[in-house]
Amino acid sequence: MTEPTSTEAKPTRAYVIHPDLAGRTQRREPEHALAEAVALAHALPGIEIVGDEVARLRKPDPGRLFGKGKQAEIGERLKEAEVDLVLIDGPVTPVQQRNLEKDWGVKLLDRTGLILEIFADRARTREGVLQVELAALSYQRTRLVRAWTHLERQRGGFGFVGGPGETQIEADRRAIDEQMTRLRRQLERVVKTRTLHRAARAKVPYPIVALVGYTNAGKSTLFNRLTGAEVLAKDMLFATLDPTMRAIRLPGAKGVAGGGQGRRIILSDTVGFISDLPTELVAAFRATLEEVLEADLILHVRDISHPETEEQAADVAEILESLGVDEDVTLIEVWNKIDALSAETRDALRRTDARTEGVQAVSALTGEGLDDLIAAIDAHLTQALDEPRAEAVVTLPFSDGRRRAWLHEAGVVRREESGEDGLTLHLLWTERQKAGFEAL
């Protein structure tokens, strides 16, 4: 009797390499960059990390990235560890990729390819899938190297007359271009839908608060804490990709999510940023990230416990600037994950945020500091929107329950009286709320 064989796929054995170029000023330490690359690799399903290293280089070899000695040395380690996949934490040219794969006998991905693989695995909505496909095709188009020499002298027509015909590279590139054109058309329809949704929200008299930050800074945990939602929140890079929006009423200073009579807002959770975010992804996800451009207030969530939190904050600032976020938009820095710090450091941070304008130290996990954050959000919105409230009187027929409910939901009704002709409501509202009511 034969032994039963397992049909479960074996994990891919991966090795992570961070190239450290001597003499090049880098924002972050090589060891921390390597740790982030390993965390990225762990975010892919079916991956088993069997080794990692920082490879120091004097200068990149144009053909193989690494010099002959370094390449052979790494190759021995890959062979001993029986590696299937090598992840290079940095840019690798198509020629370098082809040569290294041939020499080492493994599959190779650079940083952009790895991030694209993660996004492809995580995208859930139709828009997210289209955006990732478009970014992946844009990336693959640059990976077409001359591996089709047997077709390079193919003739046009029947081969008797005419110039050279289409090479395999040209055919592949044309097929990719046609597919990219189809995807762009589909995305344009999605963007139109998103624009309509955005226009519909503009009629709603609620300010928009957008959460931005480095991936794994705790945005989704904070979003869940404030809204009572159940967005996936894991200690993993790019745990969530698709933007989520919720209309909520901010809790009172001592309240819980969803309760109290605080200000009504729309809270938006966006995709996390990362250093060296592929340009293809920034372009593809622009429609999603444009939600940030519509925000009345931005909460920049930082993992204050991370050793390179300042470098991460600088990366986020660069991406916000590239998106064209207006400098006039109010921004609060949310120093998250203070629960991961020592008691002394945590107390020092809380004292610092009390003295510093636009900074709030919190723990989205435990709820510490959230009352102060909520009060700061309300205060900043009041200041940013600069919306004076005016008294008004509106009379509605008894049958107009929809508009009456809207006014009560917006929290602008001070007094309500019943008369012969209907209901008379005494209001205190802003111009934005008045416009939203009239739009009904």
Side-chain angles (χ1 to χ4, degrees):
M1 186 174 178
T2 58
E3 289 288 328
T5 56
S6 172
T7 57
E8 186 177 342
K10 291 182 180 179
T12 301
R13 297 172 64 82
Y15 194 90
V16 184
I17 302 173
H18 173 75
D20 180 29
L21 298 177
R24 193 178 77 175
T25 54
Q26 293 178 316
R27 180 179 285 166
R28 46 191 55 194
E29 291 295 322
E31 289 72 21
H32 291 151
L34 176 64
E36 181 179 275
V38 171
L40 276 172
H42 279 300
L44 266 182
I47 293 288
E48 179 188 357
I49 309 299
V50 296
D52 58 74
E53 67 174 278
V54 173
R56 289 178 169 81
L57 309 173
R58 285 203 192 94
K59 63 177 182 178
D61 182 274
R64 284 176 168 78
L65 184 61
F66 306 101
K68 286 185 178 180
K70 193 69 173 177
Q71 180 194 333
E73 178 188 325
I74 294 174
E76 286 298 320
R77 284 196 285 275
L78 298 179
K79 189 174 181 181
E80 288 175 13
E82 298 181 352
V83 171
D84 307 309
L85 173 67
V86 171
L87 303 171
I88 304 288
D89 183 37
V92 178
T93 67
V95 171
Q96 290 169 342
Q97 179 179 347
R98 182 190 65 182
N99 289 338
L100 287 174
E101 286 183 337
K102 184 178 178 181
D103 293 344
W104 288 340
V106 297
K107 170 74 177 165
L108 187 142
L109 279 178
D110 66 358
R111 184 180 177 88
T112 298
L114 173 59
I115 294 175
L116 284 170
E117 288 286 341
I118 296 169
F119 272 50
D121 179 65
R122 298 284 163 74
R124 292 292 177 267
T125 64
R126 175 66 175 156
E127 179 182 12
V129 171
L130 287 173
Q131 287 167 329
V132 173
E133 276 190 53
L134 183 60
L137 285 171
S138 176
Y139 172 73
Q140 287 170 14
R141 194 180 189 280
T142 67
R143 302 280 108 180
L144 297 176
V145 292
R146 292 185 172 274
W148 313 95
T149 53
H150 62 289
L151 293 175
E152 287 203 356
R153 295 186 179 275
Q154 180 179 326
R155 306 290 294 177
F158 290 105
F160 305 118
V161 293
E166 186 174 60
T167 67
Q168 185 65 48
I169 293 177
E170 290 166 345
D172 289 347
R173 188 169 288 132
R174 180 169 51 80
I176 287 177
D177 288 343
E178 289 172 356
Q179 179 65 5
M180 287 176 68
T181 301
R182 282 195 294 270
L183 286 173
R184 286 196 183 99
R185 285 182 188 143
Q186 293 177 56
L187 260 177
E188 282 173 10
R189 290 195 288 270
V190 174
V191 170
K192 285 179 183 176
T193 303
R194 183 174 287 281
T195 304
L196 290 173
H197 289 168
R198 197 176 289 140
R201 284 198 302 274
K203 297 178 182 178
V204 178
Y206 310 141
I208 297 175
V209 178
L211 298 173
V212 302
Y214 209 80
T215 181
N216 206 33
K219 295 184 305 302
S220 295
T221 303
L222 180 61
F223 184 85
N224 291 342
R225 171 71 69 164
L226 291 175
T227 65
E230 294 182 358
V231 173
L232 176 65
K234 294 179 69 177
D235 182 16
M236 179 187 290
L237 301 188
F238 297 120
T240 50
L241 287 188
D242 299 311
T244 310
M245 307 191 82
R246 293 284 189 279
I248 63 166
R249 189 184 298 282
L250 286 175
K254 301 295 181 184
V256 294
Q261 294 298 317
R263 180 191 291 268
R264 192 85 169 168
I265 67 168
I266 293 176
L267 193 64
S268 172
D269 184 20
T270 59
V271 62
F273 300 154
I274 196 168
S275 64
D276 302 321
L277 189 67
T279 53
E280 295 93 347
L281 275 178
V282 174
F285 275 76
R286 182 167 290 275
T288 301
L289 295 172
E290 277 177 357
E291 296 291 354
V292 179
L293 301 180
E294 301 295 318
D296 298 291
L297 173 65
I298 295 175
L299 301 185
H300 175 189
V301 184
R302 290 175 55 180
D303 177 0
I304 204 65
S305 68
H306 195 281
E308 293 194 324
T309 182
E310 294 294 338
E311 289 79 6
Q312 291 182 352
D315 288 326
V316 171
E318 284 182 5
I319 294 174
L320 289 177
E321 185 179 350
S322 71
L323 289 172
V325 173
D326 197 332
E327 291 182 1
D328 295 334
V329 176
T330 308
L331 184 144
I332 298 177
E333 278 200 2
V334 182
W335 292 357
N336 191 28
K337 301 191 181 181
I338 60 173
D339 57 285
L341 302 172
S342 66
E344 294 80 9
T345 308
R346 190 160 64 242
D347 292 340
L349 280 178
R350 293 301 305 275
R351 288 194 296 272
T352 301
D353 85 35
R355 296 192 303 266
T356 309
E357 180 70 20
V359 170
Q360 295 294 322
V362 307
S363 168
L365 192 63
T366 66
E368 183 181 356
L370 286 189
D371 286 345
D372 292 338
L373 173 61
I374 289 164
I377 292 173
D378 192 62
H380 277 79
L381 285 175
T382 301
Q383 183 180 359
L385 299 174
D386 192 22
E387 293 181 309
R389 293 175 179 266
E391 293 184 355
V393 178
V394 171
T395 301
L396 299 176
F398 292 112
S399 60
D400 197 351
R402 176 168 171 262
R403 290 201 292 173
R404 175 178 176 270
W406 189 94
L407 290 169
H408 279 283
E409 180 70 14
V412 299
V413 179
R414 302 184 70 191
R415 190 169 78 253
E416 182 178 288
E417 299 168 349
S418 180
E420 293 182 3
D421 299 329
L423 295 169
T424 300
L425 296 96
H426 297 261
L427 313 175
L428 185 64
W429 59 8
T430 65
E431 283 297 320
R432 178 199 287 252
Q433 291 169 327
K434 180 182 177 182
F437 175 74
E438 291 173 349
L440 294 175

